[in-house]
Structure formats: structure tokens, C-alpha cells
Amino acid sequence: MPAPERIPARRMTYADTPDVPAAPGDPTGPPAPASPGVPAPPGPSAAADVELLAHGELTVRGQVREASNAVLFCTVAHQGREADCVYKPVAGERPLWDFPDGTLAQREVAAYELSEATGWGLVPPTVLRDGPYGEGMVQLWIEADPGANLLALTEDEEAGEGWKAVGPAQVGDGGTALLVHADSPALRRLAVLDAVINNGDRKGGHLLPAPDGRLYAIDHGVTFNVEDKLRTLLWGWAGEELPAEAVEVLAGLGGALAPGTPLATRLAELLTAAEVDALRARVEVLRRTRRHPEPSGQWPAIPWPPV
């Protein structure tokens, strides 16, 4: 096994006819790590994308078969603009024992709102709206750069330059290898955002490095639980001091989440009062400790499957 061996991105397949469930009842050679840059915060185009997603006509083109919930690939058209997008109807959500039924779409939108509040623009434009199969989440489709390397396996005992170690992982021959992720500013920002939103499912396939150098993250339905649910592949910075930029952003979030602010009012439409209070508490803990969180030991630290 080459060291490091790139972990391939999640492959998606599409069906011609959507199948929406009923309502809830060998790369070769050692690749270099991708280094998504630190682009400027999104400008007016994000607002234009939200307008398109919220008011455009949705046309279903296919279905992502690998997803655990119904995920429909669509086009959306409005006032001469057209774009690809993902539509996740609430009716296609599978019930989870630790989340209220029919709330995953709202959590996806709440994650987008938090991402925008940080100014980092890590989550693609996302809205909650009616669609062909009822209310659901609609999100701008991001075409990932297939040559970007954010996760890898290596036979070395330590992560090499440009990588951060996550931990040992089993490989196909019954052995073990070291799982590493890229040491990039954008990925580190995402680790902070995941800690804020309490992401219980940060898998490798949810990381979308775009051809323009931006990093996007998707699939945020399992977030904002009042209990500690952080499960992620981005543990490389666990216990380390937060960058000064992250501390500053967290201070801004603390004010933006105060009761009665536009952000708090919007989140109250998407989450429960207890979940918003828990969100504020997580932000304050991060501000006080100024460190990346570490696995609690009370909950599996790595999602399954990891990619």
C-alpha cells in the first residue's frame, strides 16, 4: 500500500425515476494534500443563489442512491438563471432515535445560517421550501475537484508534512494504517464550525473541495443536538489552541446569538429553544477554553462508515 494512499471521494449514482420513501414510519503514488485556501467571505452571489433556490422552479432529474435519506438531484430555474441543486424532502427522512422526526431539513438550513454568520462560507447556499414531494431542504450543488486530497491512509507512524493524524484505521488486508487529513486553514475552520453545530456525522464524503480552491461541506442533518454528539474525521487539531481568527469569530457569534438578534430569531424557527441554548453554551465553552475539543469518550468519536 503506498504511503499515503488517497481515500477516494464518495461516488454517487443517479436513478432516472426518483424513489422517495414514505413519510417517516487505485490511485498510485503518494498524493500531496489538498490545501483549500482561505477565500474571502461570500459576497452578493450567495444572496442571489438563495433567491434562486427559494423561488425557482424545481425539476427532479434523478436520485442519489447511496444516501440514507431521500436525496434528489434537481435543476432550479428562476428569472433567466438556472443551477443544479439537491432537494431533500422531509417525507424522505428516516426516523432517528436521538433526533425529533422530520427535523433534518431544518438542521441543514440552520447549519448554513451558522456558516454564514461566521463569514467563512463553508456550507453551500441552503433554503427550506416546498417542492415536488413536499417541504424540504434545497441546496446548491457543488461539483468537487476529483483530484483534491483531503484524507489519506499512510503506513508511517506519524503524519507527514501537510497532514494531521486522526488515528489508526483498519485496512482491507486486516492490517492497520494511520488515517490523516490535510492540515489546511479551511479544513480547520470547518472543524471549529462542526464543534459549534455539534455535528454528529462529519464523514470524508461530506468534504467538497471545489475547483476554485474553496472548501464546502454538506450533509448537516445530524446537528444541533443538546447532547454532545460530535463525531468527525477532523480530530487532527484536538486539544490544540484555536487560531486567533477562530477566537475572534466565536466572539462575534456570541453576540450574534444573543436573544432577539436576527440570527437567534431565525434559528428559533428551525430549532428548539433548548437546542439554541445548547448552541450558545458550546460557543461559550470554545471561547473560554480557546482550544479545539477532544473526544469525550462517551460517544463514538468517528462516524461510520467514515468515508
Side-chain angles (χ1 to χ4, degrees), residues 158-173:
E158 297 182 357
E161 183 178 357
W163 298 95
K164 299 291 287 187
V166 179
Q170 291 185 340
V171 292
D173 59 3

Side-chain angles (χ1 to χ4, degrees), residues 41-300:
S45 61
D49 288 336
V50 168
E51 175 77 11
L52 173 63
L53 295 171
H55 302 291
E57 180 180 357
L58 281 176
T59 302
V60 178
R61 303 296 186 186
Q63 182 176 10
V64 181
R65 289 293 192 183
E66 287 187 7
S68 56
N69 299 295
V71 180
L72 305 180
F73 177 74
C74 304
T75 55
V76 59
H78 181 61
Q79 295 182 347
R81 289 194 64 204
E82 183 173 301
D84 294 334
C85 63
V86 169
Y87 164 47
K88 298 183 181 181
V90 173
E93 295 179 6
R94 296 182 181 180
L96 298 173
W97 68 269
D98 51 350
F99 285 83
D101 292 349
T103 67
L104 304 190
Q106 290 94 319
R107 296 171 193 279
E108 295 247 28
V109 178
Y112 169 69
E113 299 288 354
L114 254 295
S115 171
E116 290 299 284
T118 64
W120 289 338
L122 292 167
V123 180
T126 311
V127 302
L128 189 68
R129 57 163 288 179
D130 195 28
Y133 295 95
E135 186 179 60
M137 180 279 281
V138 177
Q139 185 175 80
L140 191 69
W141 177 268
I142 302 296
E143 198 67 47
D145 180 358
N149 309 316
L150 295 177
L151 296 168
L153 294 170
T154 177
E155 293 177 335
D156 296 338
E157 294 183 358
E158 297 182 357
E161 183 178 357
W163 298 95
K164 299 291 287 187
V166 179
Q170 291 185 340
V171 292
D173 59 3
T176 61
L178 182 65
L179 176 63
V180 297
H181 64 66
D183 184 8
S184 80
L187 209 57
R188 191 167 190 175
R189 286 176 164 185
L190 182 60
V192 175
L193 179 65
D194 281 342
V196 168
I197 67 177
N198 196 16
N199 192 349
D201 195 35
R202 175 58 73 214
K203 298 176 180 177
H206 301 166
L207 308 175
L208 302 180
D212 65 0
R214 296 193 68 94
L215 174 68
Y216 293 95
I218 59 171
D219 286 357
H220 297 102
V222 188
T223 51
F224 296 101
N225 201 297
V226 296
E227 299 179 3
D228 179 14
K229 298 283 187 180
L230 186 59
R231 293 196 306 174
T232 176
L233 289 179
L234 305 181
W235 287 116
W237 298 283
E240 292 187 13
E241 280 192 42
L242 292 170
E245 178 209 28
V247 173
E248 183 178 349
V249 166
L250 289 166
L253 272 185
L257 288 168
T261 60
L263 179 60
T265 300
R266 176 59 176 147
L267 292 177
E269 300 169 351
L270 302 166
L271 307 170
T272 67
E275 288 167 342
V276 175
D277 285 342
L279 167 63
R280 294 188 181 108
R282 287 192 298 273
V283 170
E284 290 309 306
V285 168
L286 289 168
R287 291 181 63 187
R288 184 177 70 251
T289 63
R290 296 193 172 206
R291 291 188 176 277
H292 287 272
E294 299 180 82
S296 66
Q298 299 177 343
W299 181 258

